[in-house]
Amino acid sequence: LALCRGRIVRVPQGPLIRVLGTEVAIPCSVSDYDGPSEQNFDWEFSRDTDFVRIVSTWDSTFTSEEYQKRVGRGDIKLRRSSNDAVELVIRNIQPADQGRYKCSTPSTDATVQGNYDAEVQVKVISDGLSVSGSKARSSTSLRLSEGDSFKLRCSAITTSPEHTHLHVTWQVKSGSSWRDILSLTHEGKFQPGPGYEERYRSGDARLDTGANDTYGLSVSQASAADGGAYRCLVSEWVRGADGAWQKIQEKSVEIATVAVQRTDVVISTSNVSVTERDSLDLTCNITTDRSGIFQAEVMWYFSASPDDTLSDAQLLLSMDHDSVVSDSTLISLSHVDRNSYRLLVRDVDVEDSGYYFCEAAIWVPLHNGSWHKVVERTSAPVSVVVTALEPDYDVFLNASKTPKFSDDPTELNCRIANAQDTEANIRFTVSWYYRQHLPGDDVVTEQLLATMDADWTLLPGDRGRERIQNGEIIFSKRFADTFSLRIQWTSESDRGDYFCVVSAWSRHRNNSWVKSKDVTSASVNIFWATQDYTLTVEAVKLKPFFVAGHTFEMTCKVSSKNIKTPRYSVLITAEKPFTDQSSPNGTTRIISLNQDSVVRLEDWTDQTRVDGVVLEKVQENEFRYRMYQTQISDAGLYRCVVTAWSPGGGGMWREAVNGLSNPIQIDFQTSGPVFNVSVHSDSPTIYQGEVADLLCIITMEGMPLEPDDMSFDVSWFAVRSFALDREPVLLASLDRRGIVTQSRRNGSSDLSLERISPLEFRLRVHGCEDHDFGNHYCVVTPWVRSATGAWQREPDTRAKPIFLSVKMDVLNAFKYPLLIGIGLATVIGLLSCLIGYCSSRWCCKKEVQETRRERRRLMSMEMD
C-alpha cells in the first residue's frame, strides 16, 4: 500500500464549444503543491503541434510577438480568481483561436511530483442564434385597463452545427432593473420568476410555444404593477464533455411597452355633517378608462372606526353586476350614470354617525357568455357626523310646601317651560339631587335621590333608599310638564339644597330611546331654625344607709328642652370595682325600659335573682330602680342612661338626644371575715400514668364563722405554658351545692374534684399525660349567710398558681414492649423447632431399597 502525492493542474474537460464573436473564459487551477500560496500560471496555444506563448502571470516578456497587440489591447488577459486559480479571457473569439490551450505552472515544489501543465481543446462555431419580436407587435406600446389581458410573442431559432438548446425568459423593467416573469429552461422546464409563482399556478401568467419557433407570454388580470418594458431574453446552451450544461451565448429583444391604467373607487364628498332626521346622500365614483362592455358591482359598508376591515364592517346595501339591489327600508342604492352609484339614507339618526366606504368590482363578459371579475377596489372611508336634534326648553324648581319645624312635610315642583321642537318622538324624565351645606371651604358633593329612565321607571339613589321604599319620600308626575318631590316628615338631616335635572329622550328608528339633552334647574334651599336638644338626668338614692340583704332603690328624674312630645327610654348600668368576664370594660348593663315601656333584662346573669331587679315608670319623666336582697358583689356605681325620642314619620320614633345621670354608689361597710386561697401539692413532679393531687386550701382572717354559715364555689384552671402567656383552660368546678362540672377533655386522663374538709378541696388528675403539665390554680367564690338568713356572695379570690410537671418513666415505658418481644420470640422459636421435628419425622421420611449385592470371595494376592 503506497501513498502518492504531487502537484495537480486542472482545466475543463474539452472540447469547449464557443460561439464566434463571444467572450471566452477558460479556468485553470493547481492543487497539492509546495511553496508560496499564490501560484503563477503560463498559457500557451497550438493549432497543430507547436505551442505559442500567450500570456503569463509573472513574466511580462512571456507573450510572443503574435499575441502582443491583442494582449496589449486587453482582448486577451488573465483574471485571477484565487491564489491557486486563474481564467484566460479571450474577447471576440475568432476561428483562428480554435485549437489547444495549455496551462502550466512553474515549479515551487521541493521535489518534482505530479503534473505541471494541462491542455484543453477549444472549438469555435458560427453564430446561428436569431431572436426577434412578433411581426404584428414589434416595438409596440400597449395601453390597458386594470384587469385586462395581453399577449406578447417573440421568435428564437438557432442554426448551430452543434446540438444546442435554447433557454427563453420573459422579463419586465418598471424601474432600473429587469425582473424575470416566466422562463422555459434549456431542460424543457417552466420556471416562474420571483413574485409570479402564484399567478403562474393560477394561470394568470403563461408561456406558450407556437409554430415557427415562437414563444408567447400571456398575462391575465393585469394590474398597475404589470406596467413597464417587456423583452424576450434567449440564451444558447450546450452539454459539455463532463455532462454539464454550459451557456455559450445570450441575446435579447425588447417586445413592447405596457401601460396599465389603475381603476380607482372614490366617494365624491369628504367629511359630511348632517342633522338628525335629515337624509344622507353619498356617491361612489369608479374611475376607469375601460371602453368595452363591463358591469360594476357596488357594496356600501359602515363601520365605527376608520381602521376596521371589511370583515368587521357592517354591509348596508349592495348592487351586483346584474343591477340587482338588496332590500332595505330606509336605505336606497341607485345607478346614477355609467360610473356613479348613489347611496341615500333617509331619516338619519345619531347612531348613523361613523365611517362609510364603498367597494366596487368590475365584471367583463367572456366569449362563452359568462361574466368574469377583473378588478376590485375599496374607497377610502368618509366620516359622517350626525348632529342630534336637541329640543329647547327651560326648567324651574319651586317649593309649594316648606317645613317650619322638624317632621313637617316638604313638597317641591319641577316644571318644564318654553318647550320648543318637542314632537311626539321626545320624552322628558327627571332626576332629583340633594346638596348639603358644609362649613368653610369643604367640597360640596351632590347626592342622587332618585332618577327616571326612558320608560319612566323610578330608580332610587343611595341616599334615602329605605325611606323611599317605606313611602316617606314620594316622587310623582302631576302634569305632563311637572314633576313633584314630597318628603312626608322632614328631619334635620334633610336640610340643604335641592335641584332637579330634566332629561330629553329621542326615539330612534328601532324604537329605542336615547338621551339627547339635560337641563338643570336652580337649587331651592330647605332650612328652618332649630335649637339644640337638651336633656338632664338626675339620679337620687332613696335610702341613704342600708346593709347587705336589704333592698337598694333609686330614682331617675328627666327634664328636656326643645323636644316635641318626648318619650324616654332608660338603661341602668353598674360600674363594679371587680372586673366581670361578661363586661371587660367594667360596665354592666343591668335592665332597660324602652319608650314603649317594655322592660328587658340586659346583662343580668344571676339566675338565683332573676326577679331581683325592677325598673318601672313612676311618672312621665321619673323612673324608679329597685334591687332586692343586695349582696357584697353588687357594690359599685349605678347610673341612668336616658334617651329622648320624638315622634317621627309613619308612626315611628326618632332618637333625639342621650343623657347620663350622676352616679349612685353602693358601698357595704362590713366587718366580716377575709378569705385567702392557696394551692398545695406534695409531689408537683410526677410520671406519666400516675395520679396528681392538688389541694385548694382556704384560710380566714377576722371574725370566725360556723361551717354551716359559709359555702364556696371552687373552679380549677390550667395554663399550658411556663410563662402564663396563654388563655386559662377550665378543668372542673364545684358549686356551693356540691354539683361538679367538668370541661371536655381530649386526652385519656381523667379528673375528680371533691371537698375533703370544710376549707379544703382536692383536684385529682388520674393517669397523667404529657399534655397535663402547666400552671394550675383555683378560684374561690365565698358565700356567707347573714344574720337575716340570706346568703351573700363575697368577691372572688384567686390562688397563686403551682406548676405541675409530667415526666416519662423510661423503665415502665419499655417494660411491656420488652416482655412482649421476649415472649413472642420464645413462642416463635418453639414453634419452629416443633415444625422441623414433625417435618423430619413424618413428611421427609424416605424408604431406601438396597440392591442385592453378589457375594464373592476375595481373591488372593498371588492370584491377582
Side-chain angles (χ1 to χ4, degrees):
L1 181 65
L3 178 64
C4 297
R5 181 178 180 275
R7 177 185 293 259
I8 299 175
V9 178
R10 294 185 180 89
V11 293
Q13 186 176 354
L16 301 180
I17 299 175
R18 295 295 183 263
V19 178
L20 178 67
T22 62
E23 182 179 280
V24 177
I26 306 174
C28 177
S29 64
V30 62
S31 62
D32 300 333
Y33 58 87
D34 295 334
S37 60
E38 182 175 288
Q39 294 290 299
N40 291 309
F41 297 86
D42 297 332
W43 282 90
E44 296 175 279
F45 171 70
S46 173
R47 293 187 183 89
D48 297 323
T49 57
D50 297 334
F51 281 91
V52 179
R53 293 175 294 179
I54 302 175
V55 68
S56 174
T57 59
W58 63 283
D59 187 2
S60 60
T61 63
F62 180 79
T63 305
S64 64
E65 185 178 356
E66 180 181 352
Y67 286 98
Q68 286 181 357
K69 290 183 179 181
R70 297 180 67 182
V71 171
R73 291 195 306 265
D75 293 340
I76 299 176
K77 62 181 178 180
L78 288 180
R79 184 167 56 204
R80 183 179 290 275
S81 55
S82 64
N83 288 336
D84 54 2
V86 296
E87 289 182 343
L88 174 63
V89 181
I90 302 175
R91 260 194 272 171
N92 191 16
I93 191 168
Q94 298 298 319
D97 295 325
Q98 178 174 295
R100 290 182 294 122
Y101 288 84
K102 181 173 68 174
C103 175
S104 59
T105 59
S107 175
T108 59
D109 303 329
T111 60
V112 177
Q113 289 183 350
N115 67 314
Y116 285 81
D117 57 59
E119 297 181 10
V120 61
Q121 179 72 28
V122 175
K123 183 178 180 180
V124 180
I125 63 175
S126 60
D127 183 6
L129 178 62
S130 174
V131 180
S132 62
S134 175
K135 293 182 179 180
R137 298 192 178 185
S138 180
S139 301
T140 60
S141 297
L142 301 179
R143 294 187 61 84
L144 306 174
S145 297
E146 193 171 11
D148 285 349
S149 301
F150 65 91
K151 292 183 180 180
L152 303 175
R153 294 186 183 277
C154 76
S155 176
I157 188 172
T158 180
T159 59
S160 174
E162 298 294 330
H163 182 67
T164 60
H165 287 198
L166 298 183
H167 183 122
V168 180
T169 301
W170 280 96
Q171 294 180 323
V172 62
K173 182 173 73 171
S174 57
S176 60
S177 60
W178 292 93
R179 293 182 290 113
D180 290 348
I181 301 175
L182 192 58
S183 301
L184 177 59
T185 66
H186 53 276
E187 295 178 329
K189 299 178 181 179
F190 288 101
Q191 180 178 349
Y196 287 87
E197 296 86 350
E198 185 62 31
R199 299 182 69 179
Y200 170 72
R201 287 192 291 268
S202 64
D204 290 341
R206 301 192 316 274
L207 196 156
D208 304 321
T209 59
N212 301 325
D213 299 314
T214 59
Y215 300 88
L217 174 66
S218 299
V219 178
S220 303
Q221 299 289 328
S223 63
D226 292 328
Y230 284 77
R231 76 175 182 178
C232 180
L233 178 67
V234 181
S235 57
E236 190 174 7
W237 294 70
V238 66
R239 190 184 294 272
D242 56 355
W245 287 97
Q246 302 174 7
K247 183 168 68 172
I248 59 176
Q249 71 169 324
E250 185 178 76
K251 292 183 179 181
S252 65
V253 59
E254 290 195 15
I255 303 300
T257 301
V258 178
V260 180
Q261 178 67 32
R262 177 182 173 88
T263 300
D264 291 327
V265 177
V266 296
I267 300 177
S268 58
T269 58
S270 55
N271 296 337
V272 180
S273 178
V274 295
T275 307
E276 188 179 10
R277 307 198 187 287
D278 287 347
S279 295
L280 173 64
D281 191 351
L282 299 175
T283 302
C284 181
N285 295 322
I286 303 173
T287 303
T288 179
D289 60 351
R290 187 179 300 275
S291 59
I293 300 175
F294 70 91
Q295 291 289 347
E297 178 186 6
V298 178
M299 287 173 287
W300 280 92
Y301 289 89
F302 169 80
S303 67
S305 171
D307 300 326
D308 287 349
T309 60
L310 288 180
S311 59
D312 299 328
Q314 175 189 355
L315 177 62
L316 298 177
L317 211 57
S318 64
M319 175 187 292
D320 62 11
H321 61 273
D322 294 327
S323 298
V324 178
V325 181
S326 57
D327 187 21
S328 180
T329 304
L330 298 174
I331 306 176
S332 63
L333 178 59
S334 58
H335 194 177
V336 180
D337 55 32
R338 178 178 175 84
N339 297 330
S340 299
Y341 296 85
R342 177 189 181 192
L343 174 71
L344 182 63
V345 183
R346 292 179 293 273
D347 193 18
V348 294
D349 206 340
V350 178
E351 296 179 349
D352 295 326
S353 297
Y355 295 87
Y356 291 77
F357 54 93
C358 66
E359 181 187 45
I362 303 298
W363 294 74
V364 297
L366 300 180
H367 63 278
N368 58 0
S370 62
W371 289 84
H372 174 63
K373 184 192 294 187
V374 295
V375 66
E376 189 175 53
R377 285 287 183 271
T378 303
S379 71
V382 171
S383 174
V384 175
V385 177
V386 179
T387 305
L389 187 61
E390 295 184 355
D392 187 13
Y393 59 95
D394 299 325
V395 177
F396 298 96
L397 179 66
N398 65 296
S400 57
K401 290 184 180 180
T402 56
K404 302 299 182 182
F405 301 98
S406 179
D407 298 329
D408 285 350
T410 300
E411 187 169 334
L412 303 175
N413 295 322
C414 182
R415 187 171 58 87
I416 304 172
N418 303 325
Q420 298 178 4
D421 297 331
T422 56
E423 52 191 27
N425 293 324
I426 299 296
R427 177 179 291 181
F428 293 101
T429 61
V430 68
S431 300
W432 291 94
Y433 289 89
Y434 165 80
R435 185 167 50 229
Q436 183 181 6
H437 281 290
L438 297 178
D441 297 333
D442 294 343
V443 178
V444 178
T445 58
E446 301 172 354
Q447 302 180 45
L448 177 66
L449 297 176
T451 184
M452 291 181 181
D453 58 12
D455 57 355
W456 294 311
T457 301
L458 183 67
L459 303 175
D462 294 335
R463 177 181 173 85
R465 183 185 301 272
E466 184 177 353
R467 297 175 66 188
I468 296 173
Q469 295 173 352
N470 294 335
E472 299 180 28
I473 301 178
I474 300 174
F475 300 92
S476 61
K477 184 178 181 181
R478 291 189 171 183
F479 308 101
D481 60 349
T482 304
F483 300 91
S484 298
L485 163 64
R486 180 181 175 86
I487 303 177
Q488 299 285 71
W489 301 278
T490 311
S491 62
E492 284 80 359
S493 60
D494 295 327
R495 292 185 296 183
D497 291 337
Y498 291 81
F499 63 92
C500 63
V501 178
V502 176
S503 303
W505 298 74
S506 301
R507 182 162 57 186
H508 286 194
R509 291 193 301 264
N510 57 359
N511 291 326
S512 64
W513 293 91
V514 178
K515 183 186 297 186
S516 58
K517 187 176 183 180
D518 287 334
V519 176
T520 304
S521 70
S523 60
V524 172
N525 181 251
I526 300 300
F527 182 79
W528 66 92
T530 60
Q531 296 181 356
D532 294 335
Y533 297 144
T534 58
L535 183 67
T536 305
V537 184
E538 180 184 5
V540 178
K541 183 166 62 174
L542 299 181
K543 297 181 180 181
F545 302 102
F546 66 96
V547 295
H550 288 183
T551 300
F552 168 73
E553 184 175 359
M554 74 174 186
T555 60
C556 297
K557 294 184 179 181
V558 183
S559 60
S560 62
K561 293 182 180 180
N562 304 323
I563 301 177
K564 184 179 178 181
T565 62
R567 285 192 182 182
Y568 306 103
S569 61
V570 181
L571 171 65
I572 304 299
T573 63
E575 299 177 10
K576 297 184 178 181
F578 305 102
T579 303
D580 190 2
Q581 294 182 355
S582 62
S583 56
N585 58 0
T587 301
T588 304
R589 297 159 54 93
I590 300 177
I591 191 172
S592 64
L593 183 143
N594 65 7
Q595 66 272 18
D596 295 325
S597 299
V598 178
V599 179
R600 175 185 173 185
L601 286 176
E602 299 292 339
D603 299 332
W604 184 261
T605 57
D606 192 348
Q607 298 298 325
T608 60
R609 295 192 298 163
V610 175
D611 299 329
V613 289
V614 176
L615 179 60
E616 57 185 352
K617 184 176 182 180
V618 180
Q619 296 179 6
E620 192 64 33
N621 61 342
E622 184 177 353
F623 302 87
R624 180 165 55 204
Y625 170 67
R626 286 196 182 97
M627 182 167 55
Y628 301 99
Q629 296 181 355
T630 56
Q631 300 178 2
I632 301 298
S633 59
D634 294 330
L637 297 176
Y638 288 76
R639 299 176 186 270
C640 296
V641 180
V642 179
T643 302
W645 301 79
S646 62
M652 306 296 292
W653 288 97
R654 182 172 55 85
E655 182 179 339
V657 67
N658 295 319
L660 184 65
S661 71
N662 56 298
I664 300 298
Q665 184 175 10
I666 299 180
D667 188 12
F668 297 97
Q669 301 295 331
T670 177
S671 60
V674 177
F675 297 92
N676 298 318
V677 182
S678 62
V679 178
H680 174 73
S681 177
D682 293 335
S683 55
T685 301
I686 59 175
Y687 292 94
Q688 289 184 357
E690 294 182 352
V691 178
D693 288 345
L694 300 175
L695 295 179
C696 182
I697 303 173
I698 304 171
T699 59
M700 290 189 303
E701 297 179 3
M703 182 181 67
L705 296 175
E706 294 294 330
D708 294 339
D709 292 336
M710 58 182 177
S711 62
F712 303 95
D713 292 337
V714 180
S715 300
W716 281 91
F717 295 88
V719 180
R720 307 298 186 190
S721 66
F722 295 94
L724 295 174
D725 55 352
R726 294 185 180 181
E727 291 293 329
V729 178
L730 175 65
L731 302 178
S733 63
L734 176 66
D735 64 7
R736 58 194 179 99
R737 298 179 181 84
I739 299 176
V740 178
T741 303
Q742 292 189 11
S743 62
R744 186 176 180 180
R745 298 177 60 80
N746 295 327
S748 60
S749 60
D750 198 5
L751 297 175
S752 64
L753 179 58
E754 58 184 341
R755 183 175 184 176
I756 59 177
S757 70
L759 297 177
E760 292 184 354
F761 297 83
R762 179 170 61 192
L763 173 68
R764 283 186 172 182
V765 183
H766 303 274
C768 286
E769 297 179 356
D770 53 354
H771 60 77
D772 290 323
F773 87 100
N775 290 280
H776 293 67
Y777 64 90
C778 63
V779 177
V780 177
T781 303
W783 291 80
V784 178
R785 180 154 47 191
S786 63
T788 60
W791 287 94
Q792 298 291 329
R793 178 177 176 177
E794 299 292 330
D796 295 342
T797 304
R798 173 178 168 177
K800 185 178 180 181
I802 186 173
F803 188 79
L804 179 64
S805 177
V806 181
K807 296 183 177 180
M808 184 177 68
D809 191 349
V810 180
L811 180 61
N812 290 332
F814 288 98
K815 178 171 64 177
Y816 292 105
L818 185 61
L819 293 177
I820 292 173
I822 294 174
L824 289 175
T826 304
V827 170
I828 292 172
L830 294 176
L831 183 60
S832 301
C833 293
L834 180 61
I835 292 172
Y837 175 76
C838 294
S839 299
S840 62
R841 184 69 177 171
W842 290 288
C843 299
C844 301
K845 187 174 184 182
K846 187 175 182 182
E847 297 291 339
V848 181
Q849 296 181 358
E850 296 181 356
T851 58
R852 186 175 180 178
R853 299 179 180 177
E854 296 182 358
R855 294 184 179 182
R856 296 180 179 179
R857 299 182 63 185
L858 297 176
M859 301 175 69
S860 63
M861 188 176 296
E862 291 81 358
M863 293 179 66
D864 187 28

